[in-house]
Amino acid sequence: MARKKENWDDNSFKMRDLTKAEEQVMKVIWGLGQGFAFEIMEAYPEPKPAYNTVLTIIHILEKKGFVKHEAFSRVHRYSPVISKEEYTQRYLGSVVERYFNNSYLDLVSAFAKKENFSVEELEEMRKLIDEAIASEKK
């Protein structure tokens, strides 16, 4: 069954995919909640990119609408505009729309056919599905 297409214009910005480098910086910012550039650099996993590289990526993320800043004299404190959970949902929705005819059932079917799940993993999935069904029936 096809799902309703989500509005990608929520929060007054157009959602775009993140590059791998942008996603890495966003993961750090999401983890911190907010931070100055030097704090983002400190929290960045090894191998750390150059400081100017991270600043450039942060500015790109601002232009794309993922990050905002608060100015304190000559330094800026950056914070996410969109939560990791919201981005994950939108990104997954985009993948389902583009590659699985907007059908989560097609996605799960393709995934289930390709992966070798353990009995424990299948039981956990069944539990999650049962919880989702019970929640929808309320």
Side-chain angles (χ1 to χ4, degrees):
M1 176 189 294
R3 287 181 42 102
K4 185 183 124 209
K5 183 177 178 180
E6 303 236 355
N7 181 1
W8 284 67
D9 296 302
D10 294 346
N11 298 328
S12 72
F13 66 89
K14 294 240 186 235
M15 179 60 113
R16 298 200 251 173
D17 292 344
L18 295 171
T19 66
K20 196 167 192 84
E22 292 165 353
E23 188 175 299
Q24 272 192 304
V25 172
M26 282 305 300
K27 283 180 181 180
V28 173
I29 295 171
W30 282 322
L32 292 172
Q34 64 181 14
F36 296 97
F38 75 91
E39 292 172 320
I40 294 167
M41 282 300 298
E42 284 177 5
Y44 211 92
E46 293 293 340
K48 295 180 189 286
Y51 182 82
N52 286 340
T53 301
V54 172
L55 276 180
T56 298
I57 293 169
I58 290 170
H59 291 128
I60 292 168
L61 289 167
E62 277 191 287
K63 286 179 184 171
K64 285 185 167 185
F66 285 92
V67 171
K68 64 182 178 182
H69 75 269
E70 185 178 359
F72 295 89
S73 188
R74 295 175 53 172
V75 295
H76 296 161
R77 182 172 57 200
Y78 301 97
S79 58
V81 171
I82 184 171
S83 71
K84 182 178 181 182
E85 294 76 20
E86 188 178 1
Y87 177 74
T88 302
Q89 282 294 103
R90 289 179 177 200
Y91 184 78
L92 181 57
S94 172
V95 169
V96 170
E97 182 182 334
R98 288 185 286 181
Y99 300 106
F100 297 97
N101 298 319
N102 213 26
S103 169
Y104 280 86
L105 182 58
D106 288 354
L107 167 72
V108 172
S109 296
F111 192 64
K113 291 174 187 173
K114 201 77 168 152
E115 296 297 321
N116 293 322
F117 294 108
S118 69
V119 171
E120 293 83 16
E121 289 171 321
L122 291 169
E123 287 174 346
E124 182 64 25
M125 282 187 257
R126 183 186 321 181
K127 178 183 167 195
L128 292 170
I129 291 169
D130 289 342
E131 289 171 1
I133 291 170
S135 176
E136 283 293 316
K137 286 183 177 180
K138 287 183 181 179

